[in-house]
Amino acid sequence: MAVLNVNNLKMAFVEHLLFANASFEIGDTDKVGLIGANGAGKTTLFKLIMGELSPTEGGVFLSRDAHIGFVEQHTCSDASVTAYEEILKVFSPLIEMEKELENLPGQIHLASGDARELLIHRQSALLDEFQRKDGLTFRARARSMLLGLGFSEQEITLSVGALSGGQKTKISLGKLLLSDANFVLLDEPTNHLDIKSVEWLEDFLSKYTGAAIVISHDRYFLDRITNKTMQITNKKFYVTKGNYSTFIRIREEQKLYEAREYEKATKEIKRIEGIIEQQKQFGRERNFITIASKQKQIGRIAETLVPPDRDEKQIRVRFDIKVQSGNEVVFAENLCKSFDGKTLFSGVNLDIRRGEKVFLIGPNGCGKTTLLKVLMRRMVQDSGLCRFGVNVRPGYFEQSHGGILSEKTVIDEMLDCAPAYTVAELRNMLAAFLFRGEEIYKKMNELSGGERARVALLEIMLKDSNLLLLDEPTNHLDIASREVLEEALEEYEGTILCVSHDRYLINRLASKIIAFTPDGVVPYEGNYDEYLASLAAFSDRQSTGEKKEKGGSEYKQRKEQEKEERRRLSRIAKIEAEIAEIDKKKVALESMLMNGANAADHEMILELSNALEELSHSQDALYEEWADLETAGGE
């Protein structure tokens, strides 16, 4: 059963068209990922569904039973109440019923006759309704929600005014999830949440029996909780079954098909136009009849001709290195840092070598950002020592971008940052980062979070750093921009130390993970999936009662074997991805080879054949390596 039907929806503001001809259906248990570039119209769609905006054309139809839940912009308006009291507001009707139930016994005692009978009936009916609406458990549910979102017992009793922006976001999210809504709209729900809280939210949504549409740039999150994906791009809607990764695969296949069909149709039009020109030369009456018929044929083809979508504009990022660092890049020994008597971290040891891509993970407030600031000498540690190695040139990307919140324009900011470049050169660079025309004269303190992030990335690029210290670099970036950044960081030949909650980014890039835990800072080899495998293996050993000494030779040997197994599985996964990518390239090349229009271009045919042969050789080598690794796993 559908909870939402959208038919031929069009939305435009004055002459700015957001999207048109949108038609789709959301089932009452669907979990839909809504993706698209910033400004594509995702939040506008939410406002249309909630009735805050009226469409230019078409309609949005909710089922009678639909009860929409969404995060209000100013949910935490009263700074004096505690976090617990704030989240209890979602249960205001139950609290009123509870108060009435508390007062009714006294009223019944004082009443007599018919009035007493009415009060007794009222008490019985109200108690049934209170229990039916889970009135006996709502306080426990509210408390459990806060704990699940990462609040400590102490933080639950803090006033809202004393909470961080991220904690306020969590309360808003908690209130939404505790409401009796059967259709929830979530706009970037993972923003400001640490990994543990995001995993809790994933578990909650996977068990949620209602429908949900989730706007998110967190691909790992989307992969885990969605069964349908909807993209707004080039003013169109694309809807497919499956999570984000499935959607991307299907869309790539669709794009290839659309491009082939478009090419086939345009060639047919050219062929018919050639016939028309030939008929015109004959100039007889029957030739004009043929010409008219062929022109109608062209018209019919043109009516169905849909140009393939062009990829939306993306930032282009490349981090070059002019000076190579020494082998030792970052060293720290027994670093400790406290604030107001609270220890953020202690006993931190780092030995990061050239070329490593190291990620710091852990709950919000555990000291990850502070550690980067200590390394950059922007804060002083309480004890311990740290240093950069020989010829290390660090580039620091701050999460808050506080250093670029000024009255200066974007172009002036870049001129101050990179005085060696001309205005024309900087304009070209800014255009590559999607600052075009008059946008370069925007003031820095008026930019959106995503725009400030792009400026900060460009500033780091211009510094030719061989060490990148990045604090949540993908925050505020849409999926397309995240993928471009990932590609640049993957190709980067320097060293990376990055704080991130973006598990997709960590999975793709990490060679090592350093986890901030209650027991201290613990290093793990490999990416995020390998980190999870390590935790699972440790948990399994604990559950089976393993108590061998950590320093024993048998333990060390097993740890080394586990490490090698993780590397083997990681390499197998990468090989399979590379094989799939080569398959796509081969299909494209084979399509060009089979194209009759290219048959006479012997030079092109030779180049395509050589490229195809080279891809086949590469794929054969990958298959051999894959087979060896699979065999090694069975030994």
Side-chain angles (χ1 to χ4, degrees):
M1 178 179 152
V3 70
L4 173 72
N5 276 291
V6 171
N7 293 323
N8 297 317
L9 189 66
K10 176 181 177 181
M11 191 64 196
F13 294 101
V14 192
E15 295 181 356
H16 176 59
L17 176 66
L18 275 181
F19 46 76
N21 302 316
S23 296
F24 56 87
E25 178 181 286
I26 306 297
D28 57 4
T29 60
D30 278 338
K31 308 295 185 294
V32 183
L34 178 57
I35 62 174
N38 292 332
K42 302 185 297 296
T43 301
T44 298
L45 176 63
F46 273 14
K47 291 180 178 179
L48 288 166
I49 293 172
M50 292 184 290
E52 293 181 10
L53 292 174
S54 298
T56 307
E57 291 178 13
V60 177
F61 306 101
L62 288 162
S63 75
R64 261 185 217 173
D65 300 326
H67 181 189
I68 295 179
F70 62 99
V71 178
E72 298 175 79
Q73 189 175 4
H74 302 293
T75 302
C76 304
S77 54
D78 187 351
S80 64
V81 301
T82 66
Y84 178 62
E85 289 167 340
E86 178 64 38
I87 205 163
L88 278 178
K89 287 180 181 178
V90 77
F91 296 115
S92 294
L94 285 173
I95 291 172
E96 289 303 314
M97 290 167 66
E98 189 179 54
K99 287 179 182 175
E100 187 176 351
L101 284 169
E102 288 173 358
N103 293 330
L104 276 170
Q107 294 173 18
I108 292 170
H109 178 71
L110 296 173
S112 61
D114 291 343
R116 189 171 187 275
E117 285 297 317
L118 285 173
L119 287 172
I120 290 172
H121 283 302
R122 171 61 180 163
Q123 183 185 46
S124 178
L126 192 62
L127 185 59
D128 286 344
E129 185 183 0
F130 185 71
Q131 291 175 339
R132 189 175 67 254
K133 292 182 176 180
D134 295 325
L136 300 176
T137 62
F138 75 88
R139 295 182 190 277
R141 286 163 57 206
R143 183 185 183 81
S144 176
M145 177 66 70
L146 286 170
L147 293 172
L149 286 167
F151 285 83
S152 66
E153 293 283 357
Q154 182 184 0
E155 287 168 336
I156 287 174
T157 61
L158 291 177
S159 68
V160 168
L163 300 178
S164 67
Q167 288 172 318
K168 290 175 184 175
T169 299
K170 288 181 182 182
I171 291 178
S172 300
L173 180 61
K175 289 172 72 173
L176 167 64
L177 298 176
L178 285 170
S179 69
D180 59 353
N182 58 7
F183 180 27
V184 297
L185 306 176
L186 304 175
D187 193 346
E188 290 289 352
T190 62
N191 275 5
H192 307 296
L193 298 184
D194 55 36
I195 291 176
K196 185 177 179 182
S197 296
V198 173
E199 288 174 342
W200 176 88
L201 178 59
E202 287 169 352
D203 182 62
F204 185 96
L205 288 174
S206 67
K207 295 172 182 174
Y208 179 62
T209 55
I213 303 179
V214 184
I215 297 173
S216 182
H217 300 312
D218 187 333
R219 293 151 294 171
Y220 201 99
F221 173 73
L222 291 172
D223 270 349
R224 288 178 65 89
I225 61 109
T226 59
N227 69 316
K228 188 179 286 186
T229 301
M230 185 159 53
Q231 182 186 42
I232 308 176
T233 180
N234 293 309
K235 302 176 177 35
K236 300 175 190 174
F237 273 73
Y238 292 94
V239 185
T240 67
K241 290 182 179 179
N243 61 14
Y244 172 78
S245 294
T246 303
F247 171 82
I248 292 300
R249 178 177 54 78
I250 292 172
R251 274 300 293 145
E252 288 303 318
E253 291 170 358
Q254 285 177 340
K255 285 179 184 178
L256 187 60
Y257 173 78
E258 290 166 1
R260 285 174 179 167
E261 290 299 302
Y262 181 76
E263 185 181 4
K264 191 192 300 181
T266 52
K267 281 180 181 175
E268 180 63 10
I269 288 173
K270 285 181 182 178
R271 186 187 71 80
I272 298 169
E273 286 173 343
I275 294 172
I276 291 173
E277 289 303 314
Q278 191 180 51
Q279 294 293 320
K280 283 179 180 177
Q281 291 174 9
F282 297 139
R284 295 178 183 176
E285 186 178 343
R286 66 180 182 184
N287 300 123
F288 291 117
I289 294 171
T290 302
I291 288 170
S293 173
K294 293 297 179 184
Q295 285 174 334
K296 286 180 182 178
Q297 191 177 350
I298 288 176
R300 286 194 297 272
I301 296 172
E303 282 178 7
T304 61
L305 192 63
V306 180
D309 283 340
R310 293 178 297 175
D311 290 333
E312 292 183 321
K313 293 173 182 176
Q314 296 179 346
I315 62 172
R316 298 189 295 276
V317 185
R318 181 175 176 82
F319 298 97
D320 291 318
I321 296 173
K322 290 183 179 177
V323 177
Q324 193 176 74
S325 70
N327 285 325
E328 183 191 77
V329 178
V330 181
F331 177 82
E333 187 174 51
N334 289 325
L335 276 184
C336 299
K337 183 65 181 176
S338 300
F339 281 110
D340 299 325
K342 178 187 175 184
T343 299
L344 275 182
F345 54 79
S346 63
V348 173
N349 298 303
L350 300 174
D351 183 13
I352 299 173
R353 317 302 286 181
R354 186 175 67 219
E356 285 192 310
K357 294 179 171 65
V358 181
F359 282 77
L360 304 176
I361 66 171
N364 290 336
C366 67
K368 303 184 298 295
T369 295
T370 301
L371 177 58
L372 292 189
K373 289 182 177 180
V374 167
L375 294 174
M376 286 297 297
R377 301 288 189 267
R378 298 192 180 189
M379 283 187 180
V380 179
Q381 66 270 30
D382 297 335
S383 61
L385 61 92
C386 61
R387 65 170 182 268
F388 292 138
V390 177
N391 288 332
V392 171
R393 296 185 176 180
Y396 181 36
F397 179 92
E398 289 188 81
Q399 182 180 169
S400 62
H401 314 303
I404 55 175
L405 288 173
S406 67
E407 287 283 330
K408 288 186 290 186
T409 63
V410 173
I411 187 66
D412 287 338
E413 171 73 21
M414 296 316 302
L415 283 168
D416 290 347
C417 169
Y421 290 87
T422 66
V423 172
E425 288 171 330
L426 289 173
R427 286 185 72 112
N428 287 334
M429 292 178 191
L430 285 166
F433 273 67
L434 309 185
F435 290 98
R436 297 181 174 88
E438 295 299 309
E439 290 180 336
I440 68 169
Y441 299 113
K442 282 185 177 180
K443 289 185 178 180
M444 294 300 302
N445 57 9
E446 295 174 354
L447 298 182
S448 68
E451 288 170 330
R452 289 202 302 273
R454 298 204 304 268
V455 171
L457 285 170
L458 180 52
E459 289 187 352
I460 291 178
M461 276 180 57
L462 295 175
K463 291 176 181 175
D464 300 318
S465 305
N466 53 28
L467 167 65
L468 299 180
L469 294 100
L470 309 174
D471 194 355
E472 297 288 359
T474 58
N475 270 9
H476 307 295
L477 296 183
D478 58 33
I479 288 177
S481 298
R482 288 182 184 209
E483 289 174 344
V484 172
L485 176 61
E486 283 168 10
E487 188 175 334
L489 293 176
E490 194 169 41
E491 294 172 356
Y492 177 61
E493 295 177 355
T495 307
I496 296 172
L497 179 59
C498 179
V499 172
S500 182
H501 295 140
D502 187 339
R503 293 163 295 172
Y504 207 96
L505 173 77
I506 301 170
N507 235 12
R508 181 170 176 178
L509 297 182
S511 59
K512 181 187 289 183
I513 286 173
I514 296 176
F516 282 63
T517 75
D519 298 323
V521 176
V522 184
Y524 294 87
E525 294 292 330
N527 62 14
Y528 189 75
D529 283 347
E530 291 168 325
Y531 159 74
L532 290 181
S534 296
L535 293 183
F538 178 74
S539 178
D540 287 345
R541 287 197 301 274
Q542 280 194 322
S543 65
T544 55
E546 177 178 301
K547 297 178 181 178
K548 289 189 176 289
E549 286 293 324
K550 192 170 182 178
S553 59
E554 183 184 336
Y555 175 87
K556 289 180 179 178
Q557 184 180 4
R558 186 179 62 257
K559 289 294 288 181
E560 189 61 35
Q561 288 172 346
E562 288 172 356
K563 182 176 169 183
E564 286 301 319
E565 177 64 7
R566 289 196 301 273
R567 285 178 179 167
R568 185 184 73 83
L569 293 174
S570 177
R571 179 58 186 155
I572 286 174
K574 287 178 182 176
I575 288 173
E576 288 172 347
E578 288 176 33
I579 288 172
E581 188 62 32
I582 289 175
D583 275 333
K584 287 183 189 175
K585 292 177 181 177
K586 286 172 72 176
V587 168
L589 289 175
E590 286 166 355
S591 174
M592 294 173 72
L593 277 169
M594 293 169 67
N595 192 329
N598 298 330
D601 192 339
H602 301 297
E603 225 174 275
M604 178 186 285
I605 294 295
L606 182 61
E607 285 179 9
L608 290 172
S609 299
N610 289 339
L612 193 59
E613 187 177 356
E614 191 175 325
L615 284 173
S616 295
H617 285 315
S618 299
Q619 197 173 48
D620 288 342
L622 288 169
Y623 272 123
E624 285 182 22
E625 187 183 352
W626 180 87
D628 290 342
L629 289 167
E630 283 288 339
T631 304
E635 290 175 357

